[in-house]
Amino acid sequence: MNHISDYLTQHKDRFLNELIELLKMPSVSADPAFSQDVLDTAEKVKIALLDAGCTTAEIHETAGYPIVYGERIIDSDLPTVLVYGHYDVQPADPLELWDSPPYEPVIKKTAEHPEGAIYARGACDDKGQMYMHVKALEFMVKTDQLPCNVKFMIEGEEEVGSDNLEIYVANNKEKLKNDIILISDTGMIANDVPSVTTGLRGLSYVEVQVTGPNRDVHSGLYGGAVANPINILAKMIASLHDENNRVTIPGFYDKVEELSQDERAEMAKAPFDLEEYKKALDIEAVYGEKGYSTNERNSIRPTLDVNGIWGGYIGEGAKTVIASKAYAKISMRLVPNQDWKAITELFISHFESIAPKGVTVKVTPHHGGQGYVTPINTIGYKAASKAYETTFGKKPIPQRGGGSIPIVALFEKELESKTILMGFGLDSDAIHSPNEHFGVWNYLKGIETIPYFYQYFTELSN
Ligand code: BES
Ligand code: MN
Ligand code: MN
C-alpha cells in the first residue's frame, strides 16, 4: 500500500471538514421532526460515495428512511467487500447537558484524545466511523490501489431497529452478494490497545404500561384504597432481579451459553483497569451479576435494564394525585443462542403474571435482534488482524462487545457471509450520551487501516 500516510497528510484537513459538514445534519431517525434532515443526509452520503469513486450510488426507498447503496466492481473474479454503516443518529437530548451544541461540531483536546476529538452527535456512532470507509475508498481509487470489488450499504434506521433494512436485504440478496461484510460501528480497548469486536449482544426492547383507576384520582381521597400504578410498577420492576442481580424471569438463562474457564481466562487477559473504570464514571463500586467480572457482565452475560420510567405529576411544585397509568421502557441485552423473540414472550408472560389484582398490564414489544459471535480462524479475521498490526504495530485483541447491531446476525442468515467489526471508537467517546465525540487520531487511523484490510483480504482469498 503506497503513500497512504502521504495521502493522509495531504488531505487530512479536507477529510475532517467533510465529516464536520456531515455532522451538522441532525439525522435523528427516532424523531419525525427531523425527517427532512434524515433524507438530506442520505443524499449527502450518496454524493460522497460517488465523489470517492463508486461507479454507481443510489438512494433506495423503503417504507421508512432510504438505504444508500453504492458500488465499484472492478473484476467479478475478485472478492467483494460489503461495507455497512448507518447515517442516522440518536436523539441529542438532554440538550442542556452538552458543552457545545450537538450539531455544531467543534474539535477539543481531552485526556484520551490529546490530538483532539470532534464533538457532535453521531461523531463516533456512526457517521465518523462510516465516513472512514468512504475516505479509505477515495484513497484506494485515487491512487489506483483498490484490490477488489466494493459495495456500500448505508442505512438510516439503525438506531430504531433496522426493520426496513431487514426487508431490503431479503429482497436484494443477489445485489448484496459479497465475500465479507465490513463494519466500523463498535469500539476498541484503547488507542494503544487495538481490538477487533468478535461478538455483539442481542436485544429485546419492550414498553410496559400499568393501569390502575380509570382516571387520575386525588391521592388523599383514594390514596391507600386503590392500587397506585407507579408504586406497583416500581415493585414489579424491582422483582425482576434477585439478590445476586440475576434476572428472575423463568427460563431467561436456559439457552445462555456458559463459557469455559479457559475461555474466561483468555478474556480476562485483555487489559482492564477497574479503578480507572470507576473513576471515569464517578462511582464508588461496580454493580452486577454475582460471580462475573465487569468485562463479563457487559459482554457475555445477558441483562435487563429500565431505560426510562414515567407517570404521574412531574411538573413544578406538588400536586396530590394518583396517576391512572405508569410506564417504563425496558431493554434486555441477550447473548448468542438466546432467541430475542422467545425472550420477549417469556418477558410478557412473566410480567403479566406478577401484576397484582387492581391493575392491568400491557406489554408492547418494540424491536430486537439476535446476538452474534464470529470465529477468529477465518481469513476475514486474519486480514483484519494483519491490517491493525501494520498500522498500530501490534496485533489486535479479539473482544466481545456489549452493544447490539441486530442486523449483523441477519446478514449471516440471509447473505451467508461473516461480518468483521473493525471499530475505532473508545468507550469514553460517549455514544448515545451528551458530548459524544470521536478522536481525530482514531478517525485518521481508521482511514489508514481499512485499505490494508482490503489488501490482505484479497491476498488471503487467493
Ligand atoms: N453502534 C451501536 C452499537 C455498538 C456500539 C456495539 C459500541 C458495540 C459497541 C449501535 O448504533 C447501537 O446503538 N445499537 C443499539 C441497538 C439498536 C437496535 C437501537 C444498541 O446497542 O442499543
Ligand atoms: Mn451505531
Ligand atoms: Mn447507536
Side-chain angles (χ1 to χ4, degrees), residues 189-229:
I189 297 175
N191 285 1
D192 56 353
V193 189
S195 56
V196 172
T197 306
T198 52
L200 294 162
R201 286 197 283 192
L203 179 70
S204 165
Y205 199 106
V206 298
E207 183 166 329
V208 300
Q209 185 190 88
V210 175
T211 306
N214 61 4
R215 60 183 170 84
D216 291 6
V217 294
H218 191 287
S219 64
L221 294 183
Y222 290 91
V226 296
N228 176 333

Side-chain angles (χ1 to χ4, degrees), residues 28-31 34 89-94 98 103 121 159 432-433:
V28 181
S29 50
D31 183 348
F34 294 97
V89 300
Q90 284 276 322
D93 332 48
W98 284 76
Y103 304 109
R121 172 55 86 231
E159 299 292 8
H432 293 204
S433 307

